[in-house]
């Protein structure tokens, strides 16, 4: 009878691994290095060896493991085919099949941002809900949409690529994806800092941010909390783009709750105030009572969600 | 053994009914009046009587009918609860339960725009696909999103309310929903005519539209086909709003195909040219090969989709 499962969050430099019981309690977590040489061909064998070592160490038999879930930094289609994962050196292949052959386990593979959303639904900011949209505000903006407890993958594995929603017609700078005017350019940590630098350069307004050696999203929200007017303007711009984007998402998938994660979410409840202001202004009437929450699992969302994939 | 099913499209003035075999061939279609007096309390009994009459006439036994699906003009949650249907005089109640009690049949109830999308997926412009987004461009803009053959309902029944996606920050006129800057204000027949009137009023450009007693979406696209420059400008504005909205939807639900229906779709393939131009410009890289097609079932999409609901 199965008692355990593994959740694996595969990043470009580190693989995070978690051993869970079937109720979702984490029993142990650890990390290994991601070896990306040889087109990333060592990565899955390395992880398989790590799982086998752990099972040996804890005297866990293969039949006691319900399976292993993996979150991958790239688009993954429903059948576990990774379309591409640039940071791992991977091209297109079925990682589910490969890892299952390596381990003898039931394996599910999905996109890491989607997997994090599943984790936050299971044991984080979206706990108790089954229709959850997660926005991860970090260097970029990632997203995951959970409908009735399941990941919305999309036919190209591009479901919930909310960072690349086109939200600004007049943008002149190019986004990492090659497009212009993507949500990520305004709502990521990088985007918030960019907005702040623009306002600092184009106005004479006094601001504590003028004394910062490096203007970061953290510095902006610290300044907002201290009452800095220019920082508040930056927060309004951030809130307008993200609140409007959530209003649009609500008119498309109509979730129960939006969960905000990633480094920017450390600014806390004040973020929700700015986002919700514009959400209320522009959301379709029927969706205005949708809830907002901060993510709770931090960097562990990936391993939680990956474990949940196989349960 | 069941051989038949009923598809019912419930509108504010007429109820369209269809008798189908289980392969989706339509055997007969007919209409009855929608009697909206007494808070619409006669509507479901009237439809039940119509189905019983038809079964009697064709000597169809109750056990030969797989079920009856109904599309309703208002938000409907997953369990068949109509939240409200203003045009029918209905408040909140479980129409699925009521109609099942009236007929003894298996019943499924869903929002009419969502049901039309299911119909177009089954036997229309989206045939052969199971991840379909339908945009119905009529007086307003309706939408339906089908994921893996199933309707995306949303927790408030507001899934695929794409007509009320907030797409324009600078709008001053109010949309029917009470919001400002909704997609419907630019991409509906009404919206296209409004854009044309604005351009006619604010410019001196010559245009055949200046001779129209009433500027309609049809007149605009007829003029586009005749090479009218001002009409082409209107079409560009339409294409920009709808193409950008589709690009955003693709970054959220990532469908296989967009299907365009409603009265405006009678303009034909030329619509797709204008929409696709802006879609290609602003869609996330991974979703640029998503297909576009015109709807095929016209006013019958609702009865086809409703029949499919119970199969």
């Amino acid at each position: 009878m199965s008692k355990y499962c593994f959740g694996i969050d595969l990043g470009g430099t580190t693989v995070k691994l978690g051993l869970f019981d079937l109720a979702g309690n984490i029993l142990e977590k650890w990390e290994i290095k991601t070896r990306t040489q040889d087109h990333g061909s060592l990565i899955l064998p390395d992880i398989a060896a790590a799982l086998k070592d752990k099972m040996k160490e804890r005297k866990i038999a293969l039949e006691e493991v319900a399976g292993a879930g993996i979150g991958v930094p790239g688009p993954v289609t429903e059948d576990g085919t990774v379309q591409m994962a640039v940071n791992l050196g991977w091209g297109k292949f079925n990682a589910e099949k490969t890892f299952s052959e390596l381990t003898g386990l039931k394996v599910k593979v999905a996109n890491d941002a989607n997997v994090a959303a599943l984790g936050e639904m299971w044991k984080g900011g979206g706990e108790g809900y089954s229709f959850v949209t997660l926005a991860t505000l970090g260097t970029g903006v990632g997203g995951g949409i959970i409908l009735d407890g399941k990941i919305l993958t999309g036919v190209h594995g591009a479901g919930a690529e909310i960072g690349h929603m086109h939200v600004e017609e007049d943008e002149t700078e190019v986004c990492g994806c090659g497009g212009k005017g993507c949500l990520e350019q305004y709502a990521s940590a990088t985007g918030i800092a960019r907005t702040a630098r623009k306002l600092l350069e184009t106005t004479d307004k006094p601001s504590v941010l003028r004394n910062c050696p490096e203007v970061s999203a953290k510095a902006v929200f610290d300044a907002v909390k201290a009452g800095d007017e220019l920082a508040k303007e930056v927060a309004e711009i951030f809130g307008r783009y993200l609140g409007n984007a959530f209003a649009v998402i609500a008119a498309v998938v109509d979730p129960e709750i939006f969960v905000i994660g990633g480094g920017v979410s450390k600014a806390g409840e004040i973020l929700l105030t700015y986002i919700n202001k514009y959400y209320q202004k522009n959301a379709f009437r029927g969706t205005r009572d949708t809830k907002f929450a901060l993510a709770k699992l931090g960097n562990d969302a990936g391993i939680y969600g990956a474990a949940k994939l196989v349960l």
Side-chain angles (χ1 to χ4, degrees), chain A:
Chain A
M1 215 192 73
S2 62
K3 296 180 196 169
Y4 306 99
C5 66
F6 289 107
I8 298 147
D9 184 14
L10 180 40
T13 51
T14 310
V15 184
K16 296 191 189 71
L17 303 103
L19 174 67
F20 293 82
D21 67 21
L22 301 189
N25 298 303
I26 190 160
L27 306 175
E28 188 175 343
K29 62 175 180 174
W30 74 106
E31 296 186 358
I32 62 172
K33 280 228 174 285
T34 308
R35 294 196 292 162
T36 54
Q37 59 260 47
D38 285 333
H39 303 290
S41 63
L42 304 171
I43 296 173
L44 291 181
D46 281 354
I47 301 174
L51 298 192
K52 281 177 192 167
D53 287 350
K54 188 57 64 187
M55 287 161 68
K56 200 169 172 189
E57 178 195 324
R58 286 188 164 248
K59 301 189 173 55
I60 296 172
L62 195 66
E63 53 275 18
E64 288 180 297
V65 181
I70 311 180
V72 171
V76 181
T77 48
E78 202 68 59
D79 66 344
T81 303
V82 176
Q83 300 300 300
M84 188 180 57
V86 180
N87 295 341
L88 305 179
W90 285 0
K92 186 172 174 170
F93 78 110
N94 191 314
E96 216 162 275
K97 194 160 161 281
T98 305
F99 197 65
S100 184
E101 283 164 8
L102 284 168
T103 57
L105 290 170
K106 174 184 160 190
V107 175
K108 286 295 293 175
V109 176
N111 168 266
D112 57 359
N114 293 345
V115 165
L118 195 62
E120 287 290 342
M121 178 206 78
W122 193 31
K123 298 288 172 184
E127 192 173 353
Y129 299 94
S130 48
F131 292 80
V132 175
T133 296
L134 173 72
T136 304
L137 314 179
T139 311
V141 170
I145 295 173
I146 309 297
L147 298 176
D148 205 12
K150 294 193 198 78
I151 289 172
L152 189 168
T153 303
V155 293
H156 307 87
E161 275 288 359
I162 67 172
H164 302 292
M165 288 168 64
H166 178 72
V167 297
E168 178 53 76
E169 203 58 28
D170 299 329
E171 182 58 54
T172 52
E173 288 181 30
V174 177
C175 176
C177 76
K180 278 180 190 170
C182 292
L183 178 61
E184 179 163 301
Q185 294 182 281
Y186 315 97
S188 64
T190 326
I192 295 165
R194 186 181 75 132
T195 302
R197 282 195 307 272
K198 275 195 185 172
L199 282 190
L200 290 168
E201 283 162 20
T202 56
T203 71
D204 298 330
K205 288 192 186 162
S207 169
V208 296
L209 295 173
R210 294 195 185 277
N211 307 322
C212 285
E214 197 188 358
V215 177
S216 64
K218 184 180 182 310
V220 168
F221 280 101
D222 285 346
V224 169
K225 289 172 195 166
D228 189 89
E229 289 301 324
L230 186 137
K232 282 189 197 169
E233 254 184 79
V234 177
E236 291 283 342
I237 293 168
F238 158 82
R240 176 161 60 81
Y241 281 109
L242 192 56
N244 285 353
F246 281 170
V248 164
I249 293 169
V252 178
V253 295
D254 185 14
E256 284 171 292
I257 188 165
F258 287 99
V259 178
I260 291 103
V264 173
S265 72
K266 290 182 189 151
E269 295 285 331
I270 196 164
L271 280 180
L272 305 187
T273 313
Y274 284 99
I275 297 166
N276 204 26
K277 174 177 171 185
Y278 291 92
Y279 182 81
Q280 290 303 325
K281 186 169 168 236
N282 291 319
F284 178 56
R285 196 167 13 88
T287 62
R288 280 188 208 147
D289 67 352
T290 302
K291 293 173 185 65
F292 288 83
L294 297 169
K296 286 184 182 165
L297 300 178
N299 290 331
D300 289 344
I303 54 175
Y304 274 91
K308 178 67 176 156
L309 273 180
V310 289
L311 293 182

